[in-house]
Amino acid sequence: AQSVTQLDSQVPVFEEAPVELRCNYSSSVSVYLFWYVQYPNQGLQLLLKYLSGSTLVESINGFEAEFNKSQTSFHLRKPSVHISDTAEYFCAVSEVTDYKLSFGAGTTVTVRA
Amino acid sequence: DTAVSQTPKYLVTQMGNDKSIKCEQNLGHDTMYWYKQDSKKFLKIMFSYNNKELIINETVPNRFSPKSPDKAHLNLHINSLELGDSAVYFCASSPYTGSPTEAFFGQGTRLTVV
């Protein structure tokens, strides 16, 4: 069975500074990887996903994540954050033959002016 | 149009009551899920249905019973509510390709048991 570890529970960052959220997964088979964002009092929205192909995936709002199979990681980065990026970020994994999407514990990103 | 909609958004009820949360998706997806998010924001899958068939049933008290009248609806009924059931419950759906390549989530139902 797959599992996900998000290494940082809280990440405070100043506006326009870069941010990296770390995610490691464990699985014995091939996986799909996801980052979801949850703004306060809202549901989860897909930020980006890795299914196959290029190991670097990007979102429309400047986030990117890189799949590293040897390190079983899928870290999320943004070179310059905005106040509006303040949210909870969840890394998730599913095995390619499984229906289950398993989530990490989440990372709270707080962007300050 | 809302893709995955849940009702109600907020639910406050007393211990021992029975309540239901409804979920509908208009995406034409085959698979639907219920997740529970606790006070520490940890998300745990509870159930999943594919074309009205139960495919995931995690270790959840049998007071929780999902019902899928058709593939666009997945409702959650909870009997004899307890304080520990207080949480945010999310419904989600995904297209069936043998794996949830993308899950679309509803806005959540915040259940408070008093």
Side-chain angles (χ1 to χ4, degrees):
Chain A
Q2 71 271 36
S3 67
V4 182
T5 302
Q6 289 183 244
L7 298 164
D8 310 291
S9 60
Q10 297 197 31
V11 174
V13 59
F14 286 105
E15 194 174 19
E16 298 183 7
V19 70
E20 178 181 75
L21 309 183
R22 296 178 292 168
C23 172
N24 286 92
Y25 69 92
S26 172
S27 174
S28 56
V29 300
S30 297
V31 296
Y32 299 136
L33 293 156
F34 309 84
W35 277 99
Y36 282 83
V37 59
Q38 184 180 26
Y39 298 105
N41 298 314
Q42 293 190 26
L44 282 80
Q45 302 171 33
L46 181 69
L47 195 56
L48 44 75
K49 61 184 176 183
Y50 169 79
L51 304 182
S52 65
S54 172
T55 57
L56 184 66
V57 291
E58 298 176 352
S59 72
I60 58 173
N61 54 355
F63 284 94
E64 65 177 30
E66 186 158 20
F67 169 53
N68 187 320
K69 188 174 181 179
S70 62
Q71 297 188 7
T72 61
S73 67
F74 191 55
H75 301 333
L76 180 71
R77 301 181 184 91
K78 188 170 184 180
S80 176
V81 295
H82 302 290
I83 298 287
S84 59
D85 293 322
T86 294
E88 191 81 17
Y89 291 81
F90 293 94
C91 183
V93 63
S94 70
E95 294 178 339
V96 296
T97 56
D98 193 2
Y99 293 95
K100 189 189 304 185
L101 189 62
S102 296
F103 286 86
T107 298
T108 304
V109 173
T110 305
V111 182
R112 301 167 180 163
Chain B
D1 281 346
T2 303
V4 181
S5 60
Q6 296 178 227
T7 54
K9 188 170 181 180
Y10 298 97
L11 183 55
V12 181
T13 187
Q14 291 187 327
M15 276 180 13
N17 284 350
D18 302 339
K19 290 293 178 185
S20 292
I21 306 171
K22 295 186 177 181
C23 179
E24 176 182 5
Q25 54 97 1
N26 62 6
L27 298 166
H29 289 168
D30 290 322
T31 306
M32 296 185 71
Y33 307 83
W34 277 109
Y35 281 84
K36 178 181 180 180
Q37 186 175 45
D38 62 25
S39 58
K40 295 184 179 179
K41 301 203 171 179
F42 185 71
L43 277 155
K44 183 173 170 56
I45 191 167
M46 300 173 69
F47 303 103
S48 179
Y49 272 72
N50 179 259
N51 268 323
K52 301 194 298 176
E53 180 183 343
L54 181 65
I55 55 173
I56 295 175
N57 187 354
E58 292 293 287
T59 307
V60 174
N62 58 15
R63 298 181 294 104
F64 290 79
S65 55
K67 284 188 171 53
S68 182
D70 55 61
K71 76 173 192 176
H73 295 84
L74 179 62
N75 303 323
L76 183 64
H77 189 75
I78 316 169
N79 289 327
S80 302
L81 278 154
E82 300 177 357
L83 293 176
D85 298 331
S86 295
V88 181
Y89 293 84
F90 286 100
C91 177
S93 73
S94 70
Y96 170 59
T97 59
S99 176
T101 53
E102 180 170 350
F104 292 79
F105 283 78
Q107 293 297 295
T109 296
R110 184 175 293 277
L111 171 65
T112 304
V113 183
V114 298

